Amino acid sequence: MLLILAILPIVVTVGLGVFAGLRHQFAPTTSDILIQLVMHYALPLSLFGGILSLKRATIIQNSSVALWLALGMLGGMVIVIVSQCCFQQQLETGTLRALVIASPSIPFMGVSVLLVVFGKISVLLVALGGLYMNLVQVPVSVLLLTLAGGSTPEQRWRAGWQKLCRASRQPVVWAPISAFLLNLAGLRLPSAWLTNFTELGQAAGGVALFALGLLLTTRPWRLTRMVVLNVLLKI
């Protein structure tokens, strides 16, 4: 029942986005604008305020969460890439498939689902998952894709470094890192100040899911056997 309560709002919100998209109530570029709103403002505010509202002891006690999440996301990516190479798949295909399978949809659905299942501590999962994705998975994928393209070692490392630098400048990356450091340094956000971050931050999950529904109506997609297999492996 708890799982149903966590997933049902996602289905409803995405469905409303699809409904609005099919009725052409929004321009085709609206989903891109909404995603920018989430990734540059709503989600960073939610993560920053949420982490600072936690007790420092809570973060330290849940340090094992960081390890297990890293094993799941980074280890899972390595396993998929190696298995693809064993089946003699192209490196480009294997890398993209690994990124799809091993990268959870934490920025979009984590805020909504994990809050119901794990409560307030879910902000740690969302923050850590986003950091692993932006600072490790995406730069590594860029390195492997440039390697598959036949570029020189210098070009590969330059491409990966540039991607890492761009990712580190994103609010969704530096906001939770800053909040972690401030929290561990002893700064905790009084509950009266939390609304300054949650007023827009609490909209992150719903807006992201609605944008996803709009996106499904503006981009061509097909439900193939490979798509179904990737979804099952991701689950």
Side-chain angles (χ1 to χ4, degrees):
M1 178 60 69
L2 181 63
L3 190 59
I4 294 176
L5 291 175
I7 295 177
L8 186 59
I10 292 178
V11 176
V12 172
T13 308
V14 173
L16 288 173
V18 172
F19 178 75
L22 292 176
R23 296 189 64 186
H24 304 290
Q25 292 180 304
F26 297 90
T29 58
T30 302
S31 59
D32 297 329
I33 296 172
L34 292 178
I35 290 174
Q36 288 188 36
L37 169 64
V38 170
M39 300 302 289
H40 288 275
Y41 292 97
L43 185 57
L45 281 172
S46 175
L47 296 178
F48 189 84
I51 292 172
L52 280 183
S53 67
L54 295 175
K55 295 181 179 179
R56 180 170 56 178
T58 301
I59 295 179
I60 297 174
Q61 290 170 1
N62 286 273
S63 58
S64 58
V65 172
L67 176 61
W68 285 111
L69 195 59
L71 288 175
M73 293 179 63
L74 310 181
M77 189 172 183
V78 171
I79 291 173
V80 175
I81 292 176
V82 171
S83 63
Q84 291 293 289
C85 293
C86 292
F87 286 104
Q88 298 181 339
Q89 294 288 330
Q90 292 183 345
L91 183 59
E92 299 100 317
T93 304
T95 300
L96 293 175
R97 193 177 186 192
L99 189 61
V100 167
I101 294 173
S103 298
S105 303
I106 280 183
F108 299 101
M109 301 186 185
V111 177
S112 302
V113 177
L114 298 179
L115 181 62
V116 176
V117 179
F118 296 107
K120 193 176 180 181
I121 197 65
S122 63
V123 69
L124 285 178
L125 298 173
V126 178
L128 290 170
L131 292 177
Y132 290 149
M133 186 185 305
N134 287 285
L135 296 180
V136 181
Q137 288 183 322
V138 173
V140 168
S141 298
V142 171
L143 277 173
L144 294 176
L145 289 173
T146 52
L147 173 64
S151 58
T152 64
E154 182 180 355
Q155 290 174 326
R156 293 195 296 271
W157 286 109
R158 186 187 299 117
W161 176 252
Q162 289 174 349
K163 188 65 180 178
L164 181 61
C165 291
R166 283 197 297 269
S168 63
R169 291 195 295 267
Q170 298 299 316
V172 74
V173 172
W174 59 257
I177 291 178
S178 301
F180 274 125
L181 295 177
L182 290 173
N183 192 307
L184 295 177
L187 177 65
R188 191 179 176 209
L189 189 69
S191 57
W193 290 82
L194 186 58
T195 53
N196 293 306
F197 300 93
T198 58
E199 190 67 27
L200 180 60
Q202 64 188 356
V207 173
L209 294 172
F210 188 83
L212 177 60
L214 290 176
L215 191 64
L216 292 175
T217 63
T218 58
R219 303 288 193 277
W221 58 278
R222 291 184 300 120
L223 187 63
T224 64
R225 184 174 62 180
M226 184 59 69
V227 170
V228 173
L229 179 59
N230 287 340
V231 170
L232 293 176
L233 290 174
K234 189 180 186 74
I235 294 173

